[in-house]
Amino acid sequence: MNQRKTYNKLPVAWEGIPFIALSLAVTVVLLFLDWKFFAIPMMVLTLFIIYFFRDPDRTRIPNESAILTPADGKVIAIEDLPEGDYHYPNGAKKVSIFMSLLNAHINRIPISGKITGLSYHPGKFFSANRDKASIYNERNIVTLETHNRARIDFVQIAGLIARRISCWVHEGEVVEAGQRFGLIRFGSRLEVYLPPHCTIIATKGQKVKAGQTILGYLGETKDEKQNKAQE
């Protein structure tokens, strides 16, 4: 996993520049040699690489309780984890998003808060649209604490041909909703684990855009409800 902060103001991700430069150089050489049979496919490949690493600007949604999707793609699963789960003893809501090769692969922070943990796990490279990918594949878990102390985890999961996870945030960093935080190369999956009191408005099969589509709303934590009851 690459933890360098590689966001820049170019229309493509910084990590894509070496791939673009190499394929462009090969294309130029082939054209110079007048090997058009090879040059045309290389030109198409270069355009695809530029398209894959595109980094579009997104307008931030001014709603502190809105939980934004952290990835472009398609919602492939929405699950309720019961209480007593090893990682989430109070239960959780899990939303899984699959990113195809045609989606923009820049990942974005789903809600403002503070990064309280980063946990990288090496693993296998099953197809990212299969359920076992979330268990066995290489993944990076980012844990965030919101303004009302709710815990949200979002997990970058490598796929069949996605062999590189980049995370650009650090533990202790204060982040904003919609902020770029990483990238996964060449088809992958991203999962969000939300508190059980959240309201999910996204639906299975829905196409989503990172930093723009609202997955749901945070709602009140148990501590906030208890405090209101005591007032």
Side-chain angles (χ1 to χ4, degrees):
M1 183 187 70
N2 184 359
Q3 286 189 295
R4 292 181 297 110
K5 190 161 185 176
T6 53
Y7 165 62
N8 64 92
K9 294 183 180 181
L10 296 174
V12 295
W14 178 259
E15 290 190 345
I17 292 176
F19 294 92
I20 295 169
L22 177 61
S23 61
L24 184 60
V26 173
T27 301
V28 171
V29 170
L30 292 173
L31 287 172
F32 179 78
L33 295 174
D34 200 27
W35 291 356
K36 294 181 181 179
F37 181 80
F38 298 103
I40 292 175
M42 274 305 304
M43 189 180 300
V44 173
L45 178 62
T46 301
L47 292 174
F48 171 75
I49 293 173
I50 294 172
Y51 180 74
F52 178 87
F53 283 105
R54 67 193 183 279
D55 185 4
D57 284 328
R58 299 280 167 84
T59 302
R60 184 186 173 197
I61 296 176
N63 188 327
E64 289 188 355
S65 65
I67 302 162
L68 308 178
T69 178
D72 284 24
K74 180 180 179 181
V75 176
I76 58 173
I78 299 175
E79 306 171 53
D80 286 314
L81 303 183
E83 292 187 9
D85 183 88
Y86 177 76
H87 296 288
Y88 304 95
N90 295 322
K93 293 182 184 293
K94 174 184 173 183
V95 181
S96 302
I97 301 160
F98 175 68
M99 293 177 279
S100 74
L101 287 172
L102 299 179
N103 293 126
H105 274 55
I106 299 294
N107 302 147
R108 297 173 184 263
I109 299 291
I111 192 168
S112 298
K114 182 179 181 180
I115 303 299
T116 57
L118 294 169
S119 181
Y120 170 72
H121 302 268
K124 300 182 181 300
F125 298 94
F126 293 114
S127 178
N129 61 351
R130 302 176 66 181
D131 290 339
K132 63 181 180 180
S134 64
I135 301 173
Y136 299 110
N137 279 22
E138 177 180 333
R139 63 197 183 278
N140 180 54
I141 304 171
V142 183
T143 300
L144 178 146
E145 185 178 278
T146 67
H147 70 281
N148 59 350
R149 302 186 67 180
R151 170 189 169 186
I152 293 179
D153 291 344
F154 32 107
V155 187
Q156 298 170 290
I157 301 173
L160 182 64
I161 55 176
R163 300 299 175 104
R164 187 74 170 190
I165 295 174
S166 295
C167 183
W168 307 332
V169 293
H170 304 277
E171 189 170 345
E173 183 176 348
V174 176
V175 293
E176 294 185 356
Q179 175 182 328
R180 299 163 174 87
F181 81 88
L183 175 145
I184 316 174
R185 286 212 294 262
F186 306 124
S188 44
R189 177 182 181 128
L190 206 143
E191 296 180 336
V192 188
Y193 292 82
L194 304 168
H197 58 268
C198 290
T199 300
I200 303 296
I201 65 170
T203 58
K204 185 177 179 180
Q206 179 181 351
K207 293 183 179 180
V208 294
K209 285 191 174 183
Q212 284 192 330
T213 306
I214 298 176
L215 292 181
Y217 294 92
L218 190 58
E220 294 181 333
T221 64
K222 287 185 177 180
D223 290 341
E224 288 177 323
K225 290 181 179 179
Q226 290 175 355
N227 290 337
K228 282 188 176 181
Q230 293 172 358
E231 290 178 356

